[in-house]
Amino acid sequence: MKALLIEDNPELRGMIAAHLATRGLAVDAFATGEEARAALALSTYDILLLDLGLPDGDGLELITEITSRPNLHLPIIVITARDALSSRLDGLNAGADDYLVKPFDLLELHARIQAILRRPSERQSGILACGDVTFDMGERDGFVGGRAMRLPRREAAMMEELLRAAGRTVIRDVLEERLYAFNEPVTPNAIEAVVSRLRKKMELLGSTIRIETKRGIGYRISDDPGVTP
């Protein structure tokens, strides 16, 4: 999962990003509306956490822009100090999925993110599967034949991306963009290392599913018995 956080308070921005990273999310964190627009033009996100009082405009305008795009289905949680009922109504009526007033507990924020991402939508169906491998997108848990795999954040993200495209090749550049935030360094062999760890865990649990390497292109997971690593 990848989140876009727009919060102009640097201390709070850092706290939220760090907390969500420990909960398995890759987080791109910025301070302004223009940075948000630039990030949305370059990357794909599962959720937007948006402060309303931005230094270059009102976050409500950004919500309206996002929700008016027909091909962009991005859940939005407003995080703001505006606690008046009218402000809550404005945010929700503009298209936000949830509204959280500062100060708030970071555990509550994460719980609200999970609740929104569990809702049925075009991108979230709850459970992804290929053969004997399943992945719970809400809990970020992977299973082989019902037996759990311990998946750190990037392995969980890799599993999700491959299962979303089961049977089709996922391009390496797409995997890097989905697994890493903008400010995280990506070493030349980082993606290969994540795939290698994931393969070993699947093999140890006796999975019949394999992850195929398309050299110079990307990776594919499939229940086709002809697929080899």
Side-chain angles (χ1 to χ4, degrees):
M1 292 287 181
K2 192 170 187 179
L4 176 60
L5 168 63
I6 306 300
E7 165 60 59
D8 68 330
N9 182 301
E11 183 176 357
L12 180 57
R13 185 170 66 246
M15 289 174 56
I16 293 173
H19 178 79
L20 295 182
T22 67
R23 295 300 190 272
L25 279 78
V27 182
D28 286 339
F30 302 103
T32 69
E34 283 308 304
E35 287 174 316
R37 294 178 180 92
L40 289 169
L42 294 172
S43 189
T44 302
Y45 297 94
D46 297 288
I47 196 160
L48 168 64
L49 310 175
L50 178 65
D51 187 12
L52 295 183
L54 301 177
D56 59 345
D58 195 308
L60 288 174
E61 298 175 2
L62 187 58
I63 295 174
T64 301
E65 287 181 30
I66 291 171
T67 55
S68 66
R69 299 185 193 180
N71 297 321
L72 181 59
H73 305 282
L74 180 64
I76 302 170
I77 297 180
V78 170
I79 49 174
T80 181
R82 301 179 189 175
D83 59 355
L85 176 60
S86 59
S87 295
R88 293 172 186 260
L89 293 175
D90 287 343
L92 295 171
N93 288 334
D97 296 86
D98 202 352
Y99 193 104
L100 192 56
V101 177
K102 302 174 185 176
F104 52 80
D105 192 295
L106 293 174
L107 292 174
E108 180 182 2
L109 174 61
H110 181 243
R112 291 187 182 226
I113 292 172
Q114 286 186 304
I116 288 176
L117 295 181
R118 281 196 296 266
R119 296 174 185 171
S121 71
E122 291 185 5
R123 301 189 67 241
Q124 301 295 333
S125 60
I127 302 295
L128 299 171
C130 180
D132 60 5
V133 175
T134 58
F135 182 76
D136 185 322
M137 291 188 288
E139 298 300 324
R140 316 300 294 156
D141 292 328
F143 301 88
V144 171
R147 290 175 293 172
M149 286 185 285
R150 181 183 176 278
L151 298 178
R153 171 166 67 91
R154 292 199 180 101
E155 290 170 32
M158 176 68 74
M159 176 70 80
E160 179 179 4
E161 295 305 316
L162 292 177
L163 287 176
R164 281 187 185 278
R168 295 178 284 116
T169 300
V170 184
I171 297 172
R172 178 192 174 90
D173 288 349
V174 171
L175 292 171
E176 288 186 358
E177 180 264 314
R178 295 292 294 162
L179 268 65
Y180 294 87
F182 283 146
N183 61 344
E184 291 181 302
V186 184
T187 60
N189 297 320
I191 294 296
E192 286 85 349
V194 175
V195 170
S196 176
R197 293 194 298 270
L198 197 54
R199 279 177 176 151
K200 288 178 182 177
K201 291 179 180 181
M202 291 166 59
E203 291 169 1
L204 285 173
L205 291 175
S207 176
T208 60
I209 302 304
R210 294 293 181 265
I211 300 173
E212 179 185 21
T213 300
K214 295 289 188 178
R215 299 200 180 279
I217 302 174
Y219 298 88
R220 178 172 75 106
I221 192 170
S222 173
D223 57 3
D224 182 345
V227 170
T228 55

